[in-house]
Amino acid sequence: MNTAIKSYQYRSRSPSPWSRLLSIGIPSLAKSTAPRCARFMASNTGKKLIQIDVSSDTVCPWCFVGKKNLEKAMDQSKNKFDFEVRWHPFFLNPDAPKEGVRKSDYYRMKFGPIQFEHATARMTEMFRGLGMEYDMSGLTGNTMDSHRLIALAGHQGYDKQNALVEELFLNFFCQGKYIGDRQVLLDAARKVGIEGAEELLQDSTKGVDEVKEDLKKYSSGISGVPHFVINGKYQLSGGQPPNIFKRAFEKVAEDE
């Protein structure tokens, strides 16, 4: 893959990225230094609009957990705020092969059998707590095509983009589907009403520059995902529980 993307590979201070799956930290809110200035705007309902930029990879289980917890927090805060969630690319493994490799084989080799078993058990428990079954079958591999499709969806509405991200996460983590497969991507796009997906995926260069630009703008200064920036001002990392997101919403509202 192009070296412009390689430089954004996940880097963890801990022994391996999967150690992030073993616990949830409760951080203090950190102010974002990224050039994403945003002011509170009133939505059509008259409530304050909170915009949330999420950097994520479609093969990151913690990103799916974070999405679910974020949505719980938004649902619990819907009487106070309206929300706009926008998804941005990150590459956990930018050198992953496009043809894909078996998930279980890849992670067992990368992290060792003991840590692999512990992390898998932990994610199985987490997913069940969210009402889902964690599926380690199927392939993992390059995620560029999924990010190209997510970028396309964003041009057709952030609700559609969010629905596509949800479908891809379900495909990969709960249904054993390989989201590097063109037909899987096309099926997901059709299910949520994304137009132009077939044309996009037929041309392997289409949309790549946009993904790279989005990667540079939103994900160049972070070391892991999921990463959330709220109203361009505060940032949170990891699959935080809903109360942490709610605290962030309130803090942003107070400051504004």
Side-chain angles (χ1 to χ4, degrees), residues 107-180:
Y107 290 118
R108 188 176 284 108
M109 179 179 64
K110 187 173 180 66
F111 303 123
I114 295 177
Q115 190 173 9
F116 166 75
E117 295 297 338
H118 287 172
T120 300
R122 177 59 173 152
M123 287 315 302
T124 298
E125 178 185 352
M126 289 292 296
F127 271 56
R128 284 178 179 167
L130 295 169
M132 302 180 295
E133 288 296 322
Y134 186 62
D135 188 342
M136 275 297 294
S137 67
L139 305 178
T140 185
N142 193 283
T143 57
M144 172 58 85
D145 285 350
S146 66
H147 287 304
R148 291 197 295 138
L149 191 60
I150 290 169
L152 174 67
H155 294 298
Q156 299 176 26
Y158 293 119
D159 286 344
K160 280 191 175 183
Q161 186 186 57
N162 193 65
L164 177 64
V165 170
E166 176 80 10
E167 184 65 19
L168 293 178
F169 277 150
L170 285 171
N171 286 175
F172 186 75
F173 294 113
C174 302
Q175 299 168 4
K177 296 181 181 180
Y178 176 41
I179 56 172

Side-chain angles (χ1 to χ4, degrees), residues 153-212:
H155 294 298
Q156 299 176 26
Y158 293 119
D159 286 344
K160 280 191 175 183
Q161 186 186 57
N162 193 65
L164 177 64
V165 170
E166 176 80 10
E167 184 65 19
L168 293 178
F169 277 150
L170 285 171
N171 286 175
F172 186 75
F173 294 113
C174 302
Q175 299 168 4
K177 296 181 181 180
Y178 176 41
I179 56 172
D181 181 88
R182 180 181 297 180
Q183 192 58 52
V184 171
L185 293 171
L186 286 175
D187 290 345
R190 291 191 186 104
K191 184 172 181 178
V192 302
I194 305 301
E195 299 177 358
E198 188 166 4
E199 180 184 357
L200 174 80
L201 295 173
Q202 283 177 346
D203 183 350
S204 62
T205 66
K206 193 175 180 67
V208 171
D209 286 344
E210 180 179 356
V211 170
K212 290 180 181 178

